[in-house]
Structure formats: structure tokens, C-alpha cells
Amino acid sequence: MIRNREIWIYTLVMLGFSALISAAIYQWAPQAAAAALCGFLLLTAFSLFFTGRRYRQIAQLNDYLQQAASGDFSLDIRTHQEGELSLLRTEIYKVVLRLSEQKDQMERERQALADAISNISHQLKTPITSMVVMTDLLREEGLEAEKRQQFTRSIHTQLQRIEWLVSSLLKLAKLDAGVIRFQRRQEPAGKLLREALAPIQIPLELKEIQTEIRGDTDAVLLCDRQWTAEALVNILKNCMEHTPKGGRIQAEIRDTALYTQIVILDSGPGISRQDLPYIFNRFYRGKNAGEGSVGIGLAMARSFLDGQNADLTAVAGPGGHFVIRFYKQGAI
């Protein structure tokens, strides 16, 4: 405080004012001049004392802000007293607390991004390595025609896998960036499910999997047709991959006053209770995951539905069990 220029100016002004007033009093009542001077000096001392206390509190706030700026948010400077400084302490603490929460959130996002990049690199590295090996083999002149066709088909399959992965990651990136704007309109639930089954119809036939859509098939969903169909394709594709040959997939539609519900069931091994909390996490592969599973389809499905006042949940097996609820206008 003693280095503060304002304090020195304030002290000099108070002392000068005290001297002038005391001199004026001396002209009228010499006996009272000394008492007046002592009173003014005492008043100045008390004023400096309380000013010094406030400056020390301000210095504490400055030290606290420097501590917070260095990344240490552990100190709690709040007091339960009245006054402007106490209110200022509380407001500064609230701001620092929000900064601490934002720092933690940024750290979690940074770690999530690092994990995602690591997972993506792993998912791309495997098929690329496989294609490099098969390409080297294809260069051999004495390679049998049958092997050459086998390697060519395998390379084509790996390229399709990479294309799907990159396309899926781009869609998720658009969702995360808030670029996608869902256009919600009324769509028949039964028709959407049939459209979602169409892209996987051939694999379903090859595995001799029977499909059935039942219930309130004429029920109307308030949703974006394109992205909802995309979500349903991912869910149904997941069910198909985990359903054995000759199995069954069924979808049941139920319309209520608050929501329209679609329950999708398959006759596969289902989701274990240990995997259930993580099944919609990106790149998560449960113990029943297929050999070529990437662990991104269900994460995409949930992301597509979350932006449309809908939710997607899973139920532990036996048998795959997914529940989708499209909430109606005004419902929570």
C-alpha cells in the first residue's frame, strides 16, 4: 500500500487539510487548536488504517487471480460478510469456477479427440496394411488366377470398408459441428422401416434372415426422413450382423399420446450387461461384436436421433433389443 501514489496524495491532502483547519481554529480559539489538530490526525490515521485493510483485501484478490491464471483453482475466497468487497469476492469466485469447469471440459474434449484419432488410425491401418500385402502378391507373375481374383475381391471389400468409415466419420463431424439441420416432417413409421431394410435386403437373404414389421404401421413420426432412415439402417445392420443364419429380426411400432415407439428385436446373442453402458460410445466393441465391427454404427444412430426429439436405448440380451421413441410435438 505504501507504494501506492494515491495513498500518498490522500495522506498529504488530509494532513494539509488538517493543518489549515487547525490554523483557522487557532485564530479564533488558540486553546482548541491543538485538540482539533490531534482529532484531524487521529481521523486521518483511522482512515488510512481502514483504507489499508481494503487494499490488503484487494491484494488478496490479485494473488487469487494470479493463482487461478496459473491453473490452480483450489482456493475458495468467498466470505459470508456483507459489503461490496464480499460480493466482489463471490462473483470472482463464480467466474473462476466457470473457467475451471470450462478447462476441465476442454481437457475431456482434447482427450476424446486424441482417443478418436487413435481409434480412427487403428481402424484405417488394418485394411490399408492388408491391401498393401495383397497388392504385393498381385505383382507376382506366377500367381494363380483364382488367388488373383480372391485378392482383388478382398481389396475391393477393404476399400468399401474404408469408404464407409470415412463417410461415417464425416457425418459425425457434421453433427458435432452443428452443420446438419434436421427438417422434421410427418413420416409413416412402417414406410421408413421398409426403406431402411432395402439397403441390407441382399445380405439378409444370403443369411436367410426373416424380417417382420408389425404393430401400428400407419403411425406417423415427426422426424427428418433421410437421417432417421440412416439411423434405422445402422440399427438394423447391427442386428443383421449379430443374427445367425436362419434367424429373425422384427420391428414393432406402438403409438401413444406422448410418443411413437419402435422396438427392434433380433435372435442373436444380444448385448451383455457389462457392455450396455458403453454400447453407444464411438469405437466401442462389445464382447459379442463381429470380426469386422468398427463400433461406430450405433453411435451414429443415436446421434442422428438425438437431434430430432427422439431417443435410442438398448436392453440387455438374450437377443438384440433396441427401443426408439419419437416424442410428439410439445412432449418432453
Side-chain angles (χ1 to χ4, degrees):
M1 187 185 76
I2 59 175
R3 297 191 302 268
N4 196 306
R5 185 168 176 268
E6 293 179 357
I7 297 299
W8 283 105
I9 293 174
Y10 173 78
T11 303
L12 292 174
V13 169
M14 289 296 293
L15 290 175
F17 182 73
S18 300
L20 289 174
I21 297 298
S22 299
I25 292 174
Y26 183 80
Q27 298 295 326
W28 298 94
Q31 308 91 321
L37 181 60
C38 290
F40 279 119
L41 292 176
L42 188 61
L43 181 62
T44 302
F46 273 116
S47 178
L48 288 173
F49 172 75
F50 285 109
T51 301
R53 286 190 60 186
R54 296 180 74 86
Y55 267 88
R56 282 193 296 273
Q57 292 178 7
I58 293 173
Q60 289 175 357
L61 290 178
N62 182 60
D63 293 339
Y64 172 68
L65 289 174
Q66 290 182 353
Q67 181 179 342
S70 66
D72 184 2
F73 303 98
S74 59
L75 185 62
D76 188 348
I77 60 168
R78 291 175 296 177
T79 63
H80 300 288
Q81 301 175 356
E82 299 291 335
E84 291 81 0
L85 276 177
S86 295
L87 291 174
L88 180 60
R89 281 172 172 268
T90 302
E91 292 304 315
I92 290 176
Y93 176 77
K94 290 179 181 178
V95 171
V96 170
L97 186 62
R98 284 195 291 270
L99 290 174
S100 173
E101 293 172 351
Q102 291 175 2
K103 177 177 177 290
D104 293 340
Q105 178 64 27
M106 290 176 64
E107 181 62 28
R108 287 193 295 269
E109 291 176 356
R110 186 196 66 79
Q111 186 60 46
L113 179 60
D115 293 341
I117 292 173
S118 175
N119 285 322
I120 293 167
S121 300
H122 175 73
Q123 295 298 336
L124 290 175
K125 182 179 179 181
T126 303
I128 289 174
T129 302
S130 176
M131 285 190 295
V132 169
V133 172
M134 286 184 286
T135 302
D136 290 338
L137 291 172
L138 285 172
R139 290 176 180 172
E140 296 181 4
E141 295 181 0
L143 187 66
E144 298 176 3
E146 184 180 348
K147 284 288 185 181
R148 191 177 300 276
Q149 290 179 357
Q150 179 184 344
F151 290 154
T152 304
R153 286 194 300 268
S154 181
I155 290 173
H156 180 69
T157 301
Q158 298 290 4
L159 285 172
Q160 285 181 320
R161 183 182 178 191
I162 292 175
E163 182 185 17
W164 177 83
L165 178 61
V166 172
S167 174
S168 300
L169 291 171
L170 287 173
K171 291 173 185 176
L172 286 172
K174 288 181 180 179
L175 278 171
D176 293 341
V179 175
I180 295 177
R181 295 289 181 266
F182 296 106
Q183 304 295 326
R184 298 175 65 198
R185 298 184 178 88
Q186 292 186 340
E187 301 287 347
K191 182 180 178 182
L192 270 176
L193 279 167
R194 285 190 290 272
E195 288 183 8
L197 282 169
I200 58 172
Q201 196 60 50
I202 294 177
L204 286 170
E205 292 176 359
L206 291 174
K207 292 185 71 174
E208 300 177 4
I209 297 174
Q210 297 181 0
T211 60
E212 180 186 8
I213 301 173
R214 63 186 186 184
D216 303 324
T217 55
D218 293 330
V220 173
L221 307 177
L222 188 62
C223 64
D224 185 297
R225 179 173 170 273
Q226 175 190 349
W227 293 108
T228 302
E230 184 88 21
L232 291 172
V233 167
N234 282 306
I235 298 169
L236 291 166
K237 184 173 179 290
N238 180 274
C239 292
M240 179 195 68
E241 291 172 349
H242 293 86
T243 300
K245 186 175 182 178
R248 186 180 187 86
I249 298 175
Q250 63 182 28
E252 183 173 358
I253 305 167
R254 184 164 67 92
D255 197 25
T256 71
L258 294 178
Y259 54 79
T260 302
Q261 177 176 281
I262 300 175
V263 177
I264 300 177
L265 303 167
D266 66 55
S267 56
I271 304 166
S272 69
R273 295 191 180 277
Q274 292 81 4
D275 293 331
L276 196 60
Y278 316 104
I279 199 67
F280 296 108
N281 290 357
R282 296 178 188 181
F283 303 107
Y284 180 79
R285 299 175 73 252
K287 67 177 186 180
N288 294 328
E291 183 180 350
S293 174
V294 178
I296 199 174
L298 292 179
M300 279 202 305
R302 172 172 272 188
S303 297
F304 294 154
L305 294 171
D306 281 347
Q308 303 184 66
N309 199 28
D311 60 39
L312 169 63
T313 56
V315 181
H321 189 165
F322 298 96
V323 180
I324 312 167
R325 287 180 177 175
F326 292 86
Y327 294 93
K328 299 187 177 179
Q329 194 70 34
I332 298 175

PDB file of all heavy atoms in Angstrom, residues 227-246:
ATOM      1  N   TRP A 227     -32.277 -38.681 -42.335  1.00  0.00           N
ATOM      2  CA  TRP A 227     -31.396 -39.040 -41.229  1.00  0.00           C
ATOM      3  C   TRP A 227     -32.013 -40.100 -40.323  1.00  0.00           C
ATOM      4  O   TRP A 227     -31.290 -40.896 -39.713  1.00  0.00           O
ATOM      5  CB  TRP A 227     -31.033 -37.786 -40.436  1.00  0.00           C
ATOM      6  CG  TRP A 227     -30.186 -36.841 -41.228  1.00  0.00           C
ATOM      7  CD1 TRP A 227     -30.562 -35.650 -41.754  1.00  0.00           C
ATOM      8  CD2 TRP A 227     -28.831 -37.039 -41.628  1.00  0.00           C
ATOM      9  NE1 TRP A 227     -29.519 -35.085 -42.450  1.00  0.00           N
ATOM     10  CE2 TRP A 227     -28.447 -35.914 -42.391  1.00  0.00           C
ATOM     11  CE3 TRP A 227     -27.899 -38.057 -41.420  1.00  0.00           C
ATOM     12  CZ2 TRP A 227     -27.177 -35.782 -42.933  1.00  0.00           C
ATOM     13  CZ3 TRP A 227     -26.636 -37.933 -41.963  1.00  0.00           C
ATOM     14  CH2 TRP A 227     -26.284 -36.799 -42.710  1.00  0.00           C
ATOM     15  N   THR A 228     -33.347 -40.135 -40.256  1.00  0.00           N
ATOM     16  CA  THR A 228     -33.991 -41.192 -39.485  1.00  0.00           C
ATOM     17  C   THR A 228     -33.815 -42.540 -40.174  1.00  0.00           C
ATOM     18  O   THR A 228     -33.537 -43.558 -39.522  1.00  0.00           O
ATOM     19  CB  THR A 228     -35.492 -40.892 -39.293  1.00  0.00           C
ATOM     20  OG1 THR A 228     -35.638 -39.630 -38.638  1.00  0.00           O
ATOM     21  CG2 THR A 228     -36.163 -41.963 -38.451  1.00  0.00           C
ATOM     22  N   ALA A 229     -33.973 -42.557 -41.493  1.00  0.00           N
ATOM     23  CA  ALA A 229     -33.740 -43.794 -42.247  1.00  0.00           C
ATOM     24  C   ALA A 229     -32.287 -44.253 -42.078  1.00  0.00           C
ATOM     25  O   ALA A 229     -32.016 -45.447 -41.930  1.00  0.00           O
ATOM     26  CB  ALA A 229     -34.067 -43.576 -43.719  1.00  0.00           C
ATOM     27  N   GLU A 230     -31.364 -43.292 -42.054  1.00  0.00           N
ATOM     28  CA  GLU A 230     -29.948 -43.623 -41.857  1.00  0.00           C
ATOM     29  C   GLU A 230     -29.741 -44.269 -40.489  1.00  0.00           C
ATOM     30  O   GLU A 230     -29.007 -45.261 -40.358  1.00  0.00           O
ATOM     31  CB  GLU A 230     -29.113 -42.349 -41.957  1.00  0.00           C
ATOM     32  CG  GLU A 230     -27.623 -42.558 -41.875  1.00  0.00           C
ATOM     33  CD  GLU A 230     -26.978 -42.840 -43.228  1.00  0.00           C
ATOM     34  OE1 GLU A 230     -27.584 -42.503 -44.255  1.00  0.00           O
ATOM     35  OE2 GLU A 230     -25.886 -43.408 -43.223  1.00  0.00           O
ATOM     36  N   ALA A 231     -30.373 -43.718 -39.463  1.00  0.00           N
ATOM     37  CA  ALA A 231     -30.261 -44.287 -38.111  1.00  0.00           C
ATOM     38  C   ALA A 231     -30.843 -45.695 -38.069  1.00  0.00           C
ATOM     39  O   ALA A 231     -30.244 -46.615 -37.487  1.00  0.00           O
ATOM     40  CB  ALA A 231     -30.972 -43.380 -37.103  1.00  0.00           C
ATOM     41  N   LEU A 232     -32.017 -45.882 -38.686  1.00  0.00           N
ATOM     42  CA  LEU A 232     -32.653 -47.202 -38.692  1.00  0.00           C
ATOM     43  C   LEU A 232     -31.804 -48.219 -39.451  1.00  0.00           C
ATOM     44  O   LEU A 232     -31.705 -49.390 -39.041  1.00  0.00           O
ATOM     45  CB  LEU A 232     -34.050 -47.105 -39.320  1.00  0.00           C
ATOM     46  CG  LEU A 232     -35.094 -46.334 -38.501  1.00  0.00           C
ATOM     47  CD1 LEU A 232     -36.371 -46.138 -39.308  1.00  0.00           C
ATOM     48  CD2 LEU A 232     -35.399 -47.060 -37.198  1.00  0.00           C
ATOM     49  N   VAL A 233     -31.176 -47.801 -40.555  1.00  0.00           N
ATOM     50  CA  VAL A 233     -30.294 -48.700 -41.311  1.00  0.00           C
ATOM     51  C   VAL A 233     -29.150 -49.194 -40.423  1.00  0.00           C
ATOM     52  O   VAL A 233     -28.815 -50.383 -40.406  1.00  0.00           O
ATOM     53  CB  VAL A 233     -29.735 -48.000 -42.569  1.00  0.00           C
ATOM     54  CG1 VAL A 233     -28.592 -48.808 -43.174  1.00  0.00           C
ATOM     55  CG2 VAL A 233     -30.822 -47.804 -43.608  1.00  0.00           C
ATOM     56  N   ASN A 234     -28.545 -48.278 -39.659  1.00  0.00           N
ATOM     57  CA  ASN A 234     -27.435 -48.659 -38.788  1.00  0.00           C
ATOM     58  C   ASN A 234     -27.870 -49.641 -37.711  1.00  0.00           C
ATOM     59  O   ASN A 234     -27.137 -50.584 -37.381  1.00  0.00           O
ATOM     60  CB  ASN A 234     -26.821 -47.409 -38.150  1.00  0.00           C
ATOM     61  CG  ASN A 234     -25.919 -46.655 -39.103  1.00  0.00           C
ATOM     62  OD1 ASN A 234     -25.001 -47.200 -39.677  1.00  0.00           O
ATOM     63  ND2 ASN A 234     -26.197 -45.380 -39.285  1.00  0.00           N
ATOM     64  N   ILE A 235     -29.050 -49.420 -37.140  1.00  0.00           N
ATOM     65  CA  ILE A 235     -29.549 -50.329 -36.102  1.00  0.00           C
ATOM     66  C   ILE A 235     -29.858 -51.698 -36.699  1.00  0.00           C
ATOM     67  O   ILE A 235     -29.458 -52.744 -36.165  1.00  0.00           O
ATOM     68  CB  ILE A 235     -30.794 -49.740 -35.420  1.00  0.00           C
ATOM     69  CG1 ILE A 235     -30.444 -48.427 -34.718  1.00  0.00           C
ATOM     70  CG2 ILE A 235     -31.374 -50.731 -34.406  1.00  0.00           C
ATOM     71  CD1 ILE A 235     -31.659 -47.636 -34.254  1.00  0.00           C
ATOM     72  N   LEU A 236     -30.579 -51.702 -37.831  1.00  0.00           N
ATOM     73  CA  LEU A 236     -30.939 -52.966 -38.470  1.00  0.00           C
ATOM     74  C   LEU A 236     -29.701 -53.711 -38.977  1.00  0.00           C
ATOM     75  O   LEU A 236     -29.641 -54.948 -38.905  1.00  0.00           O
ATOM     76  CB  LEU A 236     -31.916 -52.704 -39.622  1.00  0.00           C
ATOM     77  CG  LEU A 236     -33.315 -52.226 -39.202  1.00  0.00           C
ATOM     78  CD1 LEU A 236     -34.081 -51.684 -40.403  1.00  0.00           C
ATOM     79  CD2 LEU A 236     -34.090 -53.354 -38.536  1.00  0.00           C
ATOM     80  N   LYS A 237     -28.727 -52.972 -39.482  1.00  0.00           N
ATOM     81  CA  LYS A 237     -27.473 -53.592 -39.936  1.00  0.00           C
ATOM     82  C   LYS A 237     -26.753 -54.244 -38.762  1.00  0.00           C
ATOM     83  O   LYS A 237     -26.199 -55.346 -38.889  1.00  0.00           O
ATOM     84  CB  LYS A 237     -26.589 -52.540 -40.598  1.00  0.00           C
ATOM     85  CG  LYS A 237     -25.295 -53.071 -41.196  1.00  0.00           C
ATOM     86  CD  LYS A 237     -24.598 -51.965 -41.970  1.00  0.00           C
ATOM     87  CE  LYS A 237     -23.275 -52.460 -42.565  1.00  0.00           C
ATOM     88  NZ  LYS A 237     -22.260 -52.702 -41.539  1.00  0.00           N
ATOM     89  N   ASN A 238     -26.753 -53.573 -37.607  1.00  0.00           N
ATOM     90  CA  ASN A 238     -26.147 -54.152 -36.415  1.00  0.00           C
ATOM     91  C   ASN A 238     -26.860 -55.442 -36.018  1.00  0.00           C
ATOM     92  O   ASN A 238     -26.215 -56.435 -35.666  1.00  0.00           O
ATOM     93  CB  ASN A 238     -26.198 -53.130 -35.270  1.00  0.00           C
ATOM     94  CG  ASN A 238     -25.576 -53.654 -33.997  1.00  0.00           C
ATOM     95  OD1 ASN A 238     -26.220 -54.317 -33.200  1.00  0.00           O
ATOM     96  ND2 ASN A 238     -24.306 -53.339 -33.785  1.00  0.00           N
ATOM     97  N   CYS A 239     -28.189 -55.412 -36.080  1.00  0.00           N
ATOM     98  CA  CYS A 239     -28.966 -56.621 -35.750  1.00  0.00           C
ATOM     99  C   CYS A 239     -28.646 -57.754 -36.731  1.00  0.00           C
ATOM    100  O   CYS A 239     -28.490 -58.917 -36.331  1.00  0.00           O
ATOM    101  CB  CYS A 239     -30.458 -56.310 -35.768  1.00  0.00           C
ATOM    102  SG  CYS A 239     -31.010 -55.206 -34.444  1.00  0.00           S
ATOM    103  N   MET A 240     -28.560 -57.417 -38.021  1.00  0.00           N
ATOM    104  CA  MET A 240     -28.268 -58.430 -39.038  1.00  0.00           C
ATOM    105  C   MET A 240     -26.906 -59.075 -38.798  1.00  0.00           C
ATOM    106  O   MET A 240     -26.752 -60.299 -38.915  1.00  0.00           O
ATOM    107  CB  MET A 240     -28.305 -57.784 -40.422  1.00  0.00           C
ATOM    108  CG  MET A 240     -27.990 -58.739 -41.564  1.00  0.00           C
ATOM    109  SD  MET A 240     -27.611 -57.869 -43.099  1.00  0.00           S
ATOM    110  CE  MET A 240     -26.045 -57.093 -42.668  1.00  0.00           C
ATOM    111  N   GLU A 241     -25.906 -58.256 -38.467  1.00  0.00           N
ATOM    112  CA  GLU A 241     -24.550 -58.769 -38.268  1.00  0.00           C
ATOM    113  C   GLU A 241     -24.469 -59.720 -37.082  1.00  0.00           C
ATOM    114  O   GLU A 241     -23.598 -60.601 -37.038  1.00  0.00           O
ATOM    115  CB  GLU A 241     -23.575 -57.611 -38.082  1.00  0.00           C
ATOM    116  CG  GLU A 241     -23.349 -56.782 -39.354  1.00  0.00           C
ATOM    117  CD  GLU A 241     -22.534 -55.533 -39.099  1.00  0.00           C
ATOM    118  OE1 GLU A 241     -22.324 -55.200 -37.907  1.00  0.00           O
ATOM    119  OE2 GLU A 241     -22.120 -54.887 -40.081  1.00  0.00           O
ATOM    120  N   HIS A 242     -25.350 -59.536 -36.093  1.00  0.00           N
ATOM    121  CA  HIS A 242     -25.302 -60.365 -34.886  1.00  0.00           C
ATOM    122  C   HIS A 242     -26.365 -61.457 -34.873  1.00  0.00           C
ATOM    123  O   HIS A 242     -26.494 -62.177 -33.878  1.00  0.00           O
ATOM    124  CB  HIS A 242     -25.452 -59.483 -33.644  1.00  0.00           C
ATOM    125  CG  HIS A 242     -24.297 -58.555 -33.429  1.00  0.00           C
ATOM    126  ND1 HIS A 242     -24.211 -57.316 -34.028  1.00  0.00           N
ATOM    127  CD2 HIS A 242     -23.162 -58.692 -32.701  1.00  0.00           C
ATOM    128  CE1 HIS A 242     -23.083 -56.727 -33.659  1.00  0.00           C
ATOM    129  NE2 HIS A 242     -22.436 -57.535 -32.867  1.00  0.00           N
ATOM    130  N   THR A 243     -27.125 -61.566 -35.967  1.00  0.00           N
ATOM    131  CA  THR A 243     -28.142 -62.610 -36.046  1.00  0.00           C
ATOM    132  C   THR A 243     -27.589 -63.789 -36.832  1.00  0.00           C
ATOM    133  O   THR A 243     -27.064 -63.610 -37.938  1.00  0.00           O
ATOM    134  CB  THR A 243     -29.410 -62.075 -36.738  1.00  0.00           C
ATOM    135  OG1 THR A 243     -29.918 -60.974 -35.980  1.00  0.00           O
ATOM    136  CG2 THR A 243     -30.485 -63.149 -36.813  1.00  0.00           C
ATOM    137  N   PRO A 244     -27.677 -65.005 -36.303  1.00  0.00           N
ATOM    138  CA  PRO A 244     -27.144 -66.178 -37.016  1.00  0.00           C
ATOM    139  C   PRO A 244     -27.968 -66.505 -38.259  1.00  0.00           C
ATOM    140  O   PRO A 244     -29.092 -66.003 -38.428  1.00  0.00           O
ATOM    141  CB  PRO A 244     -27.243 -67.293 -35.976  1.00  0.00           C
ATOM    142  CG  PRO A 244     -28.343 -66.859 -35.060  1.00  0.00           C
ATOM    143  CD  PRO A 244     -28.271 -65.366 -35.005  1.00  0.00           C
ATOM    144  N   LYS A 245     -27.400 -67.326 -39.114  1.00  0.00           N
ATOM    145  CA  LYS A 245     -28.090 -67.735 -40.336  1.00  0.00           C
ATOM    146  C   LYS A 245     -29.419 -68.405 -39.990  1.00  0.00           C
ATOM    147  O   LYS A 245     -29.489 -69.241 -39.091  1.00  0.00           O
ATOM    148  CB  LYS A 245     -27.209 -68.685 -41.136  1.00  0.00           C
ATOM    149  CG  LYS A 245     -27.782 -69.049 -42.499  1.00  0.00           C
ATOM    150  CD  LYS A 245     -26.807 -69.882 -43.295  1.00  0.00           C
ATOM    151  CE  LYS A 245     -27.373 -70.206 -44.679  1.00  0.00           C
ATOM    152  NZ  LYS A 245     -26.436 -70.991 -45.510  1.00  0.00           N
ATOM    153  N   GLY A 246     -30.475 -68.001 -40.715  1.00  0.00           N
ATOM    154  CA  GLY A 246     -31.797 -68.548 -40.459  1.00  0.00           C
ATOM    155  C   GLY A 246     -32.506 -67.896 -39.286  1.00  0.00           C
ATOM    156  O   GLY A 246     -33.562 -68.372 -38.844  1.00  0.00           O
TER     157      GLY A 246
END
